[in-house]
Amino acid sequence: MKRYSAFAIAREAMRNHTGWDRAWAKREPKKKYDVIIVGAGGHGLATAHYLGKNFGITNVAILEKGWLGGGNTGRNTTIIRSNYLQDPSAAIYEKSRSLYETMSQDLNYNVMFSPRGVIMLAQTQHEVRGYKRTAHANALQGVTTEWIEPARVKELCPIMNIDGPRYPVLGGLWQARGGTARHDAVAWGYARACSDMGMDVIQQCEVKGIRQMNGKVVGVDTTKGAIDCDKLGMVVAGHSGVLSQMAGFRLPIESVALQALVSEPIKPAMDIVVMANTVHGYLSQSDKGEMVIGGGTDVYNNYTQRGSFHHVEETVRALVETFPMLARLKMLRQWGGIVDVTGDRSPILSKTPVEGIFVNCGWGTGGFKAIPGSGWAMAELITKGQSPLTDEFSMFRFREGKFIDESVAAGVAH
Ligand code: FAD
Ligand code: PYC
């Protein structure tokens, strides 16, 4: 595949862009693969990518029922940070954040990673204690974060009202190397790299059944026919329960809609990301100038991948005391994605009761930031049967009571 470069852009500009290759090949399924990954979201594509890049396994298909990146990966508010509390979380999220730093170069695809800094605001005494504790834990984990006082918050984000009568800003947890990236580009960049390694990215191919023999996976039934495989990775986020049912086991997971919205574009107003978790809102400004806004999850489990009007009202109302300028903005678009939430708000990267089936899910409201680290770890788990980054994230931890409680770090109310 031709590399993208300034020279290539100049060359194609001279010949009306007739010389570009397809970013990824359009393929029909082969009869058999070494590994099938179900779900061409960021996590599925990254898993496939690192199977090829780190372990040389390229006889791989990534099967997607819709279009690639059309699930949560293309619907999220793109916040990237690694300021979690527990050590296993810090390890995988910080690995991920560091992979984002070089992702554009590694994939030869501009994912627009913007380490503009993320603040998690403390607006209650409880949050002050919680975030100071996280800052201390992060220091021990080698994750660079710091507790900052209200004056510094105001300096970093002048549009903020820190003196709100109900929720004054008491400080914040600041991660200067956190930020955002272009979500679709992450999926497209990985898909292009997978295709370049000879893998098959197959869209409009829904997995409808999982075939097993003597307790081991042997293949899948799809809307494009039966396909055999030696190993299967289930990476389908909000539909993980549906897939595990096909495979004959249950996952400790619930599916719920999480919504977001954007305002009309305005001139540059804030150049950092802010999460205000007490009031349930988070905010950044896109390169187009839109304010990108999200809130808490819907209050009931569902598979409804869409936005709802009352949510816009609730989320903006929650944020308006701290960001009064929002009251003057028109809201343009809203949408929803189906996120996969576990009881301890930590993901599952695990072997399963069926030999050869591995599951990567439970990223809930916060998995965009984890895409490269999760793919890296999952590829190792699938290849070697074990990875230091996934050891603690087994699905069996719920049976054993070994929870990894990240309810505070998850940030989003659910
Ligand atoms: P997905 O991208 O959902 O991919 C799963 C894919 O599997 C889908 O494309 C689906 O079509 C496919 N699939 C399902 N069933 C089948 C089947 N039977 N056969 C074939 N294919 C199938 N995270 C952050 O870190 N920061 C944020 O700011 C953030 N904001 C968010 C805001 C919103 C509104 C939402 C919805 C999520 C947000 N998240 C955020 C969470 C993040 O988006 C997800 O955790 C992450 O994208 C999950 O990626 P994935 O690859 O696991 O899932
Ligand atoms: O996990 O950082 C996060 C997040 C922000 C918005 C939704 N999730």
Side-chain angles (χ1 to χ4, degrees):
M1 183 168 295
K2 289 190 194 119
R3 281 186 65 75
Y4 294 150
S5 64
F7 173 75
I9 292 169
R11 183 195 60 215
E12 289 307 321
M14 307 289 281
R15 56 183 195 193
N16 285 331
H17 297 279
T18 50
W20 295 118
D21 296 326
R22 286 184 73 101
W24 52 87
K26 190 168 180 219
R27 299 252 168 75
E28 289 304 309
K30 295 194 290 202
K31 194 169 163 10
K32 178 162 188 224
Y33 294 91
D34 293 342
V35 182
I36 288 179
I37 302 292
V38 191
H43 288 261
L45 289 161
T47 301
H49 173 73
Y50 291 113
L51 279 172
K53 185 172 177 200
N54 293 355
F55 299 102
I57 299 170
T58 54
N59 184 21
V60 175
I62 306 108
L63 309 182
E64 168 55 51
K65 73 173 176 178
W67 68 96
L68 70 86
N72 296 329
T73 299
R75 294 165 187 268
N76 73 87
T77 48
T78 78
I79 300 174
I80 296 170
R81 57 187 173 86
S82 57
N83 53 358
Y84 282 68
L85 180 64
Q86 312 289 352
D87 292 350
S89 321
I92 195 162
Y93 286 107
E94 178 61 9
K95 169 80 185 168
S96 201
R97 196 204 55 75
S98 70
L99 286 169
Y100 264 114
E101 298 229 340
T102 56
M103 187 183 283
S104 294
Q105 292 77 18
D106 294 345
L107 297 179
N108 179 229
Y109 203 96
N110 185 3
V111 301
M112 297 166 69
F113 177 58
S114 164
R116 59 184 69 177
V118 177
I119 307 181
M120 293 174 89
L121 294 183
Q123 293 178 289
T124 62
Q125 287 301 336
H126 180 72
E127 276 184 317
V128 171
R129 281 194 297 275
Y131 290 142
K132 284 187 175 172
R133 181 182 179 213
T134 303
H136 292 312
N138 289 165
L140 293 172
Q141 293 152 346
V143 176
T144 308
T145 63
E146 63 181 302
W147 168 259
I148 56 174
E149 298 295 333
R152 174 85 174 120
V153 174
K154 180 77 181 169
E155 194 179 281
L156 286 163
C157 189
I159 61 169
M160 204 185 291
N161 168 29
I162 61 168
D163 300 316
R166 193 155 176 221
Y167 295 115
V169 172
L170 305 174
L173 180 65
W174 170 238
Q175 184 167 28
R177 297 298 295 172
T180 59
R182 171 78 200 271
H183 49 16
D184 303 308
V186 172
W188 298 336
Y190 276 125
R192 177 169 171 267
C194 289
S195 182
D196 193 32
M197 285 189 273
M199 298 180 185
D200 292 347
V201 183
I202 303 168
Q203 303 182 71
Q204 307 293 326
C205 181
E206 180 171 359
V207 170
K208 297 288 230 180
I210 296 178
R211 283 181 290 112
Q212 307 171 27
M213 203 178 283
N214 302 325
K216 182 179 180 318
V217 67
V218 292
V220 290
D221 295 317
T222 78
T223 46
K224 289 184 185 264
I227 315 173
D228 295 340
C229 65
D230 292 332
K231 291 182 179 176
L232 182 72
M234 300 187 336
V235 197
V236 295
H239 290 81
S240 298
V242 179
L243 262 284
S244 73
Q245 196 174 22
M246 289 179 201
F249 59 88
R250 293 188 70 196
L251 284 170
I253 208 154
E254 294 185 0
S255 293
V256 59
L258 178 64
Q259 304 186 29
L261 58 142
V262 290
S263 74
E264 60 188 328
I266 53 170
K267 69 180 184 182
M270 70 186 280
D271 59 3
I272 60 165
V273 180
V274 177
M275 297 185 69
N277 301 330
T278 287
V279 299
H280 303 155
Y282 34 93
L283 191 65
S284 65
Q285 189 168 20
S286 75
D287 293 341
K288 276 191 281 184
E290 298 163 337
M291 302 306 286
V292 181
I293 304 168
T297 59
D298 286 6
V299 290
Y300 45 87
N301 292 350
N302 67 84
Y303 288 105
T304 318
Q305 209 168 232
R306 52 181 291 189
S308 58
F309 188 72
H310 72 274
H311 198 88
V312 176
E313 204 259 332
E314 263 168 33
T315 304
V316 176
R317 187 180 53 203
L319 282 168
V320 92
E321 173 182 311
T322 314
F323 293 93
M325 51 84 81
L326 289 181
R328 310 275 305 262
L329 293 183
K330 295 186 183 68
M331 297 302 152
L332 274 197
R333 293 189 303 283
Q334 59 176 135
W335 62 91
I338 307 303
V339 297
D340 41 334
V341 179
T342 62
D344 61 2
R345 306 310 190 235
S346 286
I348 294 173
L349 296 110
S350 182
K351 291 182 177 174
T352 68
V354 182
E355 195 186 331
I357 299 187
F358 299 83
V359 63
N360 177 342
C361 67
W363 293 100
T365 60
F368 177 69
K369 66 176 81 64
I371 284 172
S374 148
W376 182 286
M378 188 70 182
E380 187 171 29
L381 176 66
I382 291 176
T383 309
K384 298 184 179 168
Q386 189 268 338
S387 162
L389 287 172
T390 66
D391 281 346
E392 310 286 334
F393 293 110
S394 158
M395 63 181 276
F396 304 108
R397 72 177 184 274
F398 294 93
R399 206 160 60 194
E400 295 156 1
K402 293 185 183 163
F403 308 116
I404 307 168
D405 182 357
E406 290 292 3
S407 40
V408 173
V412 176
H414 34 26

